[in-house]
Structure formats: structure tokens, C-alpha cells
């Protein structure tokens, strides 16, 4: 064997290590790509207005302005707006998760004429932009006297969400048919089968759906701006509309600092529920 030759067994190992190195390099690059905007937001919250407006760009602040975070917190009723956002997000996330699970169970386990057509229409509704339904939705809630209340989020939650219905339908379709057959033999109806057998089995999808729905509601700007008054509005609206000068010019560094604090609850929720979230997204549709 020459000095440059390798044992036969070492060739696959070298290839495996090379593949891993390429994979890790790509993952690190993608991680930096996704984290980059948030990192820039944090840096923007630590700069002065002059540094944000400077050209060429100041990548790092000359003097870290930690006071921006305190000012962003104290200039508005930050906790009050955060409470409003939390109430709306919890109401919507809990209701839409349960209603989507129920609808997904029906599409997965029940038989009815036109079921496939209805499911196709439901999935097709995901293609409709929010702006198309925004005006009719507002008019309906205005006629019902629900503007400036949290009732719209209750009804949106009870109406289920097409994407979440799809997740639950795919998960429930993969469970063994013997589960419900045994329950039916024992005298259970489909309501009891759903609540006592299928729903407890679907905790990964429940976790994923709750995180997704909570993020949708927490990050929504248009609906609260349209339907709620200033006192009942959410943190998303407050961050975008209240940090302005007397001339109406946005104070960008305070908006950035407030946005960082606005994002933190979502990050904490995901870190707490990430195991269930990843499991739910990875097991949906497996049989």
C-alpha cells in the first residue's frame, strides 16, 4: 500500500464526513440567512436615529443605546397592548385548533356524499388573499354590532382554518381503522371517539396547530387596525402607529426596539413547544 492510498474501509468514512461537512455548511448558511433580519432588527434597536439614517450604512452602533428598549416600553402602555394581543391570540388559537381538529376528523374518518368536493373547495380557499375577504368581513361584523369587540376572533376561531384542517385530516387519516371500530363495538359514538381516542393521540398536531394559530393572531396587523379602537388594539398596531414624532415621522430605533420585545413571546412559545411542533409537522400524513 502506497503512502497516498487509503484502506478500503476508510473511503466510505471520508465520503460520509465530506457529505456531513457540506450539509452542515449549508445549514449554517441557511441559519444565518434566516436569523440575519432579526439580528439586524436588534442592532437597529441599539442605534441612534442618526446612525440608522447614515449613509453608508453603520453596521454596528458606535455606542449601544440600551435606553431605547426602556423608552419603547415606557412611552406607551406596552403591557396593556400586550395583554390585548395575548387575549385575542389565546382565544383564536384555542378555538381554531379545536374546531380544525373536529373538521379534520370528519373529513378523515366519516363518509358522506360530496366529501372530496367539499375538501377540495376548502383547500382551494387557502388561495384567497386576506384582502379579498376583509371588506365583506368588516361589513358583516359591523351589521352584527361586533366592531370594537373581540367577538370576531371568537367566530374566526369557531370557523376553523383550512390549513389546520388539512394537517388534522392528514394525521387522522393515518390512524388505524381498528381504533374506531373497537370503540363503536363498545358503544361509543363519533363524538366520544373524537374526544377520547383521536384527539389525545394527536398532541403533536395540536401543539403545531396552536403555535401556528397563535403566531397568526399575534402577528396580525390589519384586522385589529380595522376592527378595534385604540384602547382595545393590539401590540402589533401600537408598535407601528404610536412611535412617531410630532410631525408624524416614525421613530425607527424605538420601533425596532419595540419590535424585538414584540417578537420575544413568540420565540419563547416556540422554544417551549418546539418538540411537539416539529413532531406534528414531520408526522402529519405518515401512515
Amino acid at each position: 500500500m502506497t503512502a497516498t492510498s487509503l484502506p478500503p474501509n476508510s473511503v466510505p468514512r471520508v465520503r460520509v464526513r465530506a457529505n456531513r461537512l457540506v450539509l452542515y455548511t449549508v445549514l449554517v448558511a441557511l441559519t444565518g440567512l434566516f436569523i440575519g433580519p432579526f439580528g439586524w432588527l436588534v442592532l437597529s434597536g441599539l442605534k441612534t436615529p442618526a446612525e440608522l439614517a447614515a449613509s453608508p450604512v453603520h453596521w454596528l452602533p458606535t455606542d449601544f443605546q440600551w435606553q431605547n428598549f426602556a423608552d419603547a416600553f415606557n412611552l406607551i402602555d406596552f403591557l396593556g397592548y400586550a395583554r390585548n394581543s395575548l387575549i385575542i391570540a389565546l382565544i383564536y388559537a384555542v378555538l381554531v385548533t379545536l374546531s380544525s381538529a373536529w373538521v379534520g376528523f370528519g373529513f378523515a374518518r366519516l363518509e358522506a356524499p360530496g366529501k372530496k368536493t367539499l375538501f377540495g373547495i376548502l383547500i382551494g380557499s387557502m388561495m384567497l388573499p386576506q384582502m379579498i375577504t376583509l371588506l365583506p368581513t368588516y361589513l358583516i361584523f359591523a351589521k352584527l354590532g361586533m366592531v370594537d369587540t373581540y367577538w370576531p376572533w371568537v367566530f374566526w376561531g369557531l370557523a376553523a382554518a383550512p390549513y389546520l384542517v388539512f394537517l388534522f385530516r392528514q394525521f387522522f387519516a393515518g390512524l388505524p381503522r381498528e381504533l374506531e371500530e373497537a370503540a363503536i363495538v363498545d358503544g361509543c359514538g363519533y363524538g366520544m371517539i373524537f374526544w377520547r381516542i383521536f384527539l389525545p393521540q394527536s398532541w403533536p398536531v395540536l401543539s403545531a396547530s396552536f403555535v401556528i394559530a397563535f403566531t397568526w393572531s399575534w402577528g396580525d396587523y390589519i384586522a385589529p387596525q380595522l376592527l378595534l379602537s385604540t384602547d382595545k388594539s393590539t401590540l402589533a398596531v401600537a408598535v407601528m402607529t404610536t412611535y412617531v414624532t410630532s410631525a408624524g415621522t416614525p421613530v425607527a430605533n424605538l420601533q425596532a426596539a419595540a419590535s424585538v420585545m414584540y417578537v420575544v413571546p413568540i420565540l419563547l412559545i416556540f422554544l417551549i413547544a418546539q418538540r411537539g411542533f416539529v413532531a406534528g409537522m414531520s408526522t402529519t400524513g405518515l401512515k
Side-chain angles (χ1 to χ4, degrees):
M1 183 176 63
T2 63
T4 57
S5 62
L6 295 174
N9 294 335
S10 65
V11 175
R13 295 179 183 177
V14 172
R15 290 179 180 175
V16 169
R17 290 176 181 175
N19 291 336
R20 286 181 178 176
L21 179 61
V22 172
L23 177 61
Y24 291 154
T25 303
V26 172
L27 290 177
V28 170
L30 290 176
T31 301
L33 181 65
F34 288 117
I35 295 180
F38 181 71
W40 181 252
L41 184 67
V42 174
L43 292 176
S44 298
L46 294 171
K47 294 179 181 179
T48 63
E51 288 178 326
L52 281 176
S55 181
V57 176
H58 284 196
W59 294 100
L60 293 175
T62 304
D63 185 17
F64 290 91
Q65 304 293 317
W66 297 104
Q67 185 63 30
N68 289 342
F69 289 89
D71 292 341
F73 186 85
N74 294 322
L75 285 177
I76 65 173
D77 186 11
F78 198 92
L79 291 179
Y81 288 119
R83 181 187 65 248
N84 295 342
S85 294
L86 183 63
I87 292 173
I88 290 175
L90 285 176
I91 289 173
Y92 177 75
V94 171
L95 292 179
V96 80
T97 298
L98 293 177
S99 61
S100 299
W102 178 244
V103 176
F105 173 78
F107 277 115
R109 314 304 290 200
L110 302 180
E111 297 296 334
K115 184 180 75 171
K116 293 183 178 180
T117 302
L118 288 175
F119 186 70
I121 295 173
L122 179 72
I123 297 301
S125 66
M126 295 170 57
M127 302 296 104
L128 294 176
Q130 183 185 12
M131 296 302 296
I132 293 179
T133 60
L134 193 60
L135 181 58
T137 301
Y138 174 80
L139 293 176
I140 291 172
F141 288 135
K143 292 289 185 180
L144 296 175
M146 295 182 182
V147 175
D148 201 23
T149 70
Y150 293 156
W151 279 107
W153 283 266
V154 174
F155 284 98
W156 281 328
L158 293 175
Y163 178 66
L164 301 184
V165 170
F166 173 76
L167 290 182
F168 280 105
R169 187 261 183 190
Q170 295 300 101
F171 182 83
F172 289 143
L175 294 180
R177 180 69 63 177
E178 289 78 11
L179 284 174
E180 61 188 279
E181 291 177 351
I184 292 173
V185 171
D186 290 338
C188 293
Y190 277 101
M192 188 175 296
I193 291 173
F194 170 74
W195 285 106
R196 294 196 174 185
I197 299 177
F198 278 72
L199 195 63
Q201 293 285 336
S202 64
W203 69 267
V205 188
L206 284 171
S207 177
S209 298
F210 179 84
V211 172
I212 292 172
F214 189 94
T215 304
W216 285 345
S217 183
W218 183 269
D220 187 18
Y221 169 80
I222 298 177
Q225 175 75 346
L226 186 65
L227 295 172
L228 298 177
S229 63
T230 302
D231 294 337
K232 295 182 179 180
S233 192
T234 61
L235 191 56
V237 176
V239 168
M240 295 302 298
T241 59
T242 55
Y243 295 103
V244 294
T245 64
S246 57
T249 305
V251 184
N253 59 335
L254 294 185
Q255 282 187 339
S259 298
V260 172
M261 294 186 288
Y262 167 71
V263 171
V264 166
I266 294 295
L267 296 178
L268 292 177
I269 290 175
F270 178 77
L271 291 175
I272 294 172
Q274 63 174 327
R275 180 175 297 180
F277 180 83
V278 174
M281 299 302 293
S282 61
T283 59
T284 299
L286 294 179
K287 294 187 179 181

